[in-house]
Amino acid sequence: MGRQIEHMPQQETSNRSDKDGIISAKGIYHAGGIGGYSGNPVCWSDMSNATLISVFLFIYEPLSARNQLADDTRPPTRRASLDDVRETRKFLIPVDATLKELLKREDTDGNMQITIEDSGPKVLRLGTLASAGYNQFDIRGTYMLSNLLQELTIAQGYGRKQVVLDEARLNENPVNRLSRIIKCSFWDNLTRRIDGSVIEKVGLDPKDWTADPRPRIYVPRGAPEQYEYYNRLAEERPEIRLDVQWLPAEEITGELVRDLNDKPGLLAVAMEEYTDPTTGETDLRGLPFVVPGGRFNEFYGWDSYMESIGLLINDRIDLAKSMVLNFCFCIQHYGKIFNANRSYYLGRSQPPFLTDMALRVYEKIKSEPDALDFLKLAIRAAIKEYYGVWMAAPRLDPITGLSRYRPLGVGIPPETEASHFTHILKPYAEKHNMSNDEFVHAYNSCSLSEPELDEYFLHDRAVRESGHDTSYRLEKVAANLATIDLNSLLYKYEVDIARTIHVFFGDKLSMPPEFCTSSMSPNQVETSAAWDRRSKKRRSAMDKYLWNEKKGMYFDYDTVKQERTQYESATTFWAMWSGAATPRQAAALVIQALPKFEVFGGLVSGTEESRGAVSLSRPNRQWDYPYGWAPQQILAWTGLLRYGYTEEAERLAYKWLYLVTKAFFDFNGVVVEKYDVTRPIDPHKVDAEYGNQGSDFKGVALEGFGWVNASYVYGLTIVNVHMQRALGALTPWETFSRMTEQAGIADF
């Protein structure tokens, strides 16, 4: 038996009347169904090919042709028919009573969600608005009932006692619904700023394990106006216990970061002057940014780039631009883009995407008077980051000329739960006849030496800087690897900077002192020719050290062992995203590498063979098989399109979108951080370490997850309208591909 798609016919439970606007039974919009009026679930794999072909022909038949049918013979409208518009009934709903009854009947597992795993009757009667609630109709099926739960939860949150809901809202095409929620709700709910309006909340750190957690903010010496602002705030509102600290002026070292761990705090980001409309006075306010979601509530590095792709598509240019400006502030004052803006991340960066992000924003604002100044600021910041972070010790490997994730740090990363490293530390504590706490204090203060443990945490910090925490690809070796992902990104920096200097700045760009590193001369001039040479040199090194001609893909290079690794990672496609691959290499990647990673729901992070066997003593890692992540999908789609592999990009995007849509449809609107892309039924259920962010909500998901939201919005721009319609009908790729081919409409 194939996977059933719930069919939800509307059944009359009292006399119909014209004033209720009821559509005849044969014209009812069946959310989740595929046709027929029996109300039985439809199963794709149980249909004959002839039946499926006729269904697909109906999906793609123009609406005008369908409207020629007489009303009494018109086929039922389908969720996949995006261009169909008809009047739907409205329901008058008492919020609290209906919500209570709905949860009592349908939420059988008690998790405040209605999903396909609940065993309730899957039906609830609602009264119509036109009859003042007298005439009632059945709302059927998991999807409609979970949408009802979401709408009522939101209404209750606003204090509404009654609400009018259109049937179309409960019946909404899931692709349209998720797209709308991302654009109109998720982005706003994920938006933060750091200033007096929220400092008592954002300043508190759930990862602050000290005896006296309190809001604390560190301000760089180059932003005295912020130091004055936050001190004034602390004086005016002593109840919030805000601790304002200057960031030490000396060079950031591992020891400095360690010494701040007893007083962890936020790192200040950009602010702007504005006029308070109530007082007419000028004050400061934080520039907004979008956070990933779940427990990740700070300004993160590469998450922000992925989010910006979706923001720009959804016309939230203001937010994307603001995030670039926040990055520029961080590089100007701290020297790098952080893992996130907390004090314990001062020594750690994340995958660099600033040039592409800034150019995408510039393309949207280029008609604005300050657009060129914005681009100049961003390119100067990227150059400083390039020189000071990625082309300097300890990240630069002087032999290969390639770069590594190799952040500064001393001791144990403090942002993890106190018990996170207990199994690692226990043998050392026993060796020194100490308790765990005693050993941690002694080790962090360097009063005892354990070189093996130093090596372990060097690689642990590098894994976290890579953004791929954790993976057997990187475990115990990350800091030694010249990875294909990082060097693809730096190649993109070099190409972008060269092109931007040449096209926009007359082939010369001066570097003011605030954007110079210690190895640079103040006001030195950057030229496109120098950056062209750097990109060619890196591309040559990538071909020499990272490219495996026989396997047709890129691998990481161990700079200590001086050998190429054998772990097959989806990051191999980042070379296509950046343009570092030649057309011949791109063809090899598509022919030889792509089949290794393509699975039911898109691209898997790494191959099962490379991951190896898992067990209780060797558990799954979340960046390994069978998990897939939005960044891997986004970058692969873009890379494939760059080299003209449109069909492959569309297919992969469709598979990922189907997976996200299916989980959203079956599980109460869930959108999560990552997915098991080999799992057709409940792909959001991930049992790797850290669990899955975005799945723990009551009634309604309010945020989704940042980069998955962006991947959904972006993916829909890649697939064509026929694919979008099939996604709305929850059609798996294999079925869509087979039936369109047999129907003779495979080539859209």
Side-chain angles (χ1 to χ4, degrees):
M1 291 290 290
R3 176 70 186 146
Q4 290 183 340
I5 302 177
E6 293 190 20
H7 183 65
M8 292 166 281
Q10 308 304 306
Q11 295 183 356
E12 183 178 348
T13 60
S14 68
N15 295 330
R16 296 190 177 195
S17 62
D18 291 339
K19 66 179 182 179
D20 287 331
I22 303 304
I23 303 169
S24 65
K26 292 183 179 180
I28 295 293
Y29 183 91
H30 297 280
I34 190 161
Y37 314 109
S38 65
N40 294 324
V42 174
C43 190
W44 286 109
S45 60
D46 289 346
M47 283 187 169
S48 67
N49 284 346
T51 304
L52 277 167
I53 290 172
S54 42
V55 166
F56 270 77
L57 288 174
F58 171 69
I59 292 175
Y60 303 119
E61 183 182 21
L63 181 63
S64 57
R66 276 185 266 137
N67 285 342
Q68 294 173 8
L69 298 168
D71 284 346
D72 60 342
T73 61
R74 184 183 300 175
T77 59
R78 295 190 20 79
R79 183 170 56 254
S81 301
L82 303 182
D83 50 358
D84 189 71
V85 179
R86 63 179 66 230
E87 186 179 355
T88 57
R89 64 177 66 89
K90 292 178 171 60
F91 298 108
L92 179 64
I93 307 172
V95 173
D96 294 340
T98 306
L99 194 53
K100 183 178 180 180
E101 181 185 4
L102 179 62
L103 289 169
K104 181 179 179 181
R105 290 165 57 93
E106 302 294 346
D107 179 25
T108 57
D109 59 10
N111 67 348
M112 298 292 289
Q113 299 175 21
I114 297 174
T115 74
I116 60 171
E117 295 179 344
D118 288 305
S119 57
K122 304 292 186 183
V123 60
L124 187 74
R125 294 179 178 182
L126 297 179
T128 64
L129 174 65
S131 68
Y134 177 75
N135 290 338
Q136 294 188 325
F137 295 86
D138 287 352
I139 299 300
R140 290 180 174 268
T142 299
Y143 181 62
M144 291 188 75
L145 291 169
S146 69
N147 286 346
L148 177 61
L149 173 61
Q150 294 167 52
E151 300 292 342
L152 293 181
T153 301
I154 293 171
Q156 189 179 63
Y158 281 105
R160 304 282 174 81
K161 297 305 179 184
Q162 279 191 326
V163 66
V164 175
L165 280 182
D166 196 309
E167 183 182 23
R169 178 59 65 94
L170 304 179
N171 226 355
E172 192 173 6
N173 179 301
V175 173
N176 290 352
R177 182 176 177 86
L178 180 50
S179 302
R180 175 179 59 78
I181 291 172
I182 290 170
K183 182 176 183 178
C184 300
S185 178
F186 283 176
W187 291 134
D188 286 337
N189 291 338
L190 287 169
T191 299
R192 308 284 188 272
R193 64 172 78 237
I194 300 176
D195 57 28
S197 64
V198 290
I199 190 66
E200 67 271 24
K201 295 180 181 178
V202 299
L204 283 173
D205 186 357
K207 299 181 287 291
D208 183 350
W209 314 116
T210 62
D212 183 27
R214 59 186 298 187
R216 182 177 292 108
I217 190 162
Y218 286 94
V219 181
R221 300 283 174 163
E225 72 286 354
Q226 290 201 33
Y227 187 76
E228 179 185 348
Y229 169 85
Y230 286 115
N231 268 306
R232 171 165 49 86
L233 184 66
E235 292 174 3
E236 293 173 352
R237 299 173 59 191
E239 71 280 2
I240 66 177
R241 302 179 65 239
L242 177 62
D243 182 15
V244 184
Q245 298 275 340
W246 279 118
L247 187 70
E250 62 262 32
E251 180 185 355
I252 295 172
T253 64
E255 289 75 16
L256 172 65
V257 178
R258 176 203 60 195
D259 292 345
L260 295 179
N261 288 341
D262 288 337
K263 291 185 175 182
L266 280 171
L267 299 171
V269 291
M271 303 186 81
E272 63 180 354
E273 284 191 355
Y274 82 109
T275 301
D276 189 321
T278 57
T279 65
E281 296 180 356
T282 300
D283 204 353
L284 295 178
R285 66 181 176 190
L287 288 183
F289 53 87
V290 174
V291 301
R295 64 188 176 92
F296 304 111
N297 208 31
E298 297 89 12
F299 182 42
Y300 275 76
W302 72 317
D303 293 77
S304 296
Y305 168 75
M306 302 300 163
E307 292 158 356
S308 73
I309 294 173
L311 289 168
L312 291 173
I313 293 170
N314 283 155
D315 295 322
R316 296 305 306 271
I317 302 164
D318 56 324
L319 280 175
K321 179 181 179 182
S322 174
M323 291 158 78
V324 171
L325 294 174
N326 272 311
F327 279 151
C328 294
F329 180 94
C330 290
I331 293 171
Q332 178 181 344
H333 294 285
Y334 305 110
K336 64 175 65 67
I337 293 172
F338 297 121
N339 186 154
N341 64 315
R342 293 282 183 186
S343 57
Y344 39 74
Y345 294 135
L346 271 165
R348 191 188 309 166
S349 190
Q350 270 206 323
F353 285 93
L354 179 56
T355 58
D356 192 75
M357 186 177 178
L359 285 165
R360 286 174 182 270
V361 173
Y362 174 79
E363 193 61 28
K364 294 284 189 178
I365 66 168
K366 58 186 177 184
S367 61
E368 298 178 7
D370 65 341
L372 208 57
D373 291 337
F374 164 84
L375 185 60
K376 183 179 289 186
L377 174 68
I379 295 301
R380 281 172 169 166
I383 291 172
K384 179 179 181 179
E385 179 197 21
Y386 176 90
Y387 284 135
V389 178
W390 304 113
M391 295 301 289
R395 293 176 178 87
L396 176 65
D397 175 51
I399 297 175
T400 63
L402 297 173
S403 300
R404 307 166 292 188
Y405 295 112
R406 202 175 175 93
L408 299 169
V410 173
I412 301 166
E415 73 270 19
T416 59
E417 293 83 354
S419 61
H420 185 79
F421 293 113
T422 298
H423 66 293
I424 299 294
L425 301 175
K426 184 178 179 181
Y428 296 95
E430 291 175 348
K431 171 184 172 182
H432 292 279
N433 197 27
M434 294 178 174
S435 68
N436 184 74
D437 290 346
E438 290 171 338
F439 176 78
V440 168
H441 181 268
Y443 177 69
N444 284 346
S445 64
C446 299
S447 59
L448 55 81
S449 176
E450 286 292 350
E452 288 186 1
L453 205 54
D454 294 343
E455 182 80 2
Y456 175 86
F457 285 117
L458 168 68
H459 296 305
D460 180 83
R461 281 186 288 270
V463 171
R464 298 171 192 277
E465 182 170 75
S466 78
H468 291 74
D469 46 328
T470 62
S471 166
Y472 287 118
R473 167 193 169 216
L474 304 172
E475 191 168 278
K476 299 181 181 179
V477 71
N480 297 339
L481 297 181
T483 66
I484 178 58
D485 36 300
L486 176 57
N487 286 283
S488 294
L489 300 182
L490 294 176
Y491 174 82
K492 185 71 159 57
Y493 260 43
E494 292 156 350
V495 171
D496 286 347
I497 292 169
R499 181 173 69 87
T500 305
I501 291 175
H502 177 71
V503 173
F504 296 103
F505 304 124
D507 225 12
K508 292 181 179 180
L509 180 64
S510 63
M511 297 293 292
E514 65 268 24
F515 285 107
C516 289
T517 67
S518 58
S519 64
M520 299 168 66
S521 301
N523 300 309
Q524 75 176 47
V525 174
E526 300 290 329
T527 65
S528 63
W531 287 94
D532 276 331
R533 289 193 295 271
R534 291 188 182 102
S535 67
K536 290 180 173 64
K537 183 178 179 181
R538 186 176 302 276
R539 190 181 203 175
S540 176
M542 291 169 68
D543 287 344
K544 178 179 180 180
Y545 295 106
L546 308 183
W547 176 252
N548 185 313
E549 182 69 26
K550 182 178 180 181
K551 293 190 175 182
M553 60 187 294
Y554 294 91
F555 291 85
D556 303 326
Y557 182 80
D558 191 320
T559 59
V560 174
K561 293 182 178 179
Q562 298 188 349
E563 63 183 23
R564 198 179 294 132
T565 69
Q566 297 301 310
Y567 193 102
E568 296 168 331
S569 169
T571 53
T572 190
F573 299 107
W574 292 28
M576 293 179 69
W577 174 85
S578 68
T582 65
R584 184 182 61 81
Q585 288 170 325
L589 283 163
V590 172
I591 295 168
Q592 294 178 249
L594 185 56
K596 293 176 179 286
F597 299 97
E598 184 173 352
V599 294
F600 178 85
L603 285 180
V604 70
S605 293
T607 62
E608 187 174 14
E609 180 182 1
S610 290
R611 180 204 64 183
V614 294
S615 63
L616 288 175
S617 59
R618 192 178 185 271
N620 253 335
R621 300 296 190 216
Q622 63 176 4
W623 280 92
D624 291 332
Y625 182 94
Y627 307 118
W629 294 73
Q632 306 290 33
Q633 320 301 318
I634 290 172
L635 299 181
W637 302 339
T638 308
L640 289 164
L641 291 171
R642 181 182 191 129
Y643 288 83
Y645 294 99
T646 305
E647 289 184 11
E648 288 79 2
E650 286 182 338
R651 183 178 71 245
L652 291 173
Y654 187 103
K655 288 184 170 186
W656 175 259
L657 293 171
Y658 172 81
L659 199 77
V660 175
T661 306
K662 190 65 164 65
F664 174 83
F665 183 91
D666 285 341
F667 289 90
N668 208 107
V670 73
V671 177
V672 291
E673 176 190 26
K674 54 186 173 286
Y675 293 83
D676 181 339
V677 286
T678 67
R679 192 180 182 107
I681 305 301
D682 48 4
H684 66 297
K685 293 192 173 182
V686 171
D687 59 2
E689 83 270 63
Y690 307 125
N692 211 356
Q693 299 300 306
S695 60
D696 185 18
F697 58 86
K698 306 298 183 185
V700 60
L702 296 175
E703 299 176 340
F705 197 85
W707 58 26
V708 175
N709 301 343
S711 73
Y712 199 81
V713 172
Y714 179 45
L716 287 174
T717 69
I718 294 174
V719 298
N720 58 48
V721 67
H722 306 290
M723 293 176 171
Q724 291 182 28
R725 289 174 170 176
L727 285 166
L730 297 177
T731 312
W733 169 258
E734 291 72 16
T735 304
F736 174 79
S737 178
R738 184 175 74 252
M739 292 304 104
T740 52
E741 183 177 351
Q742 292 182 12
I745 52 175
D747 206 10
F748 298 125

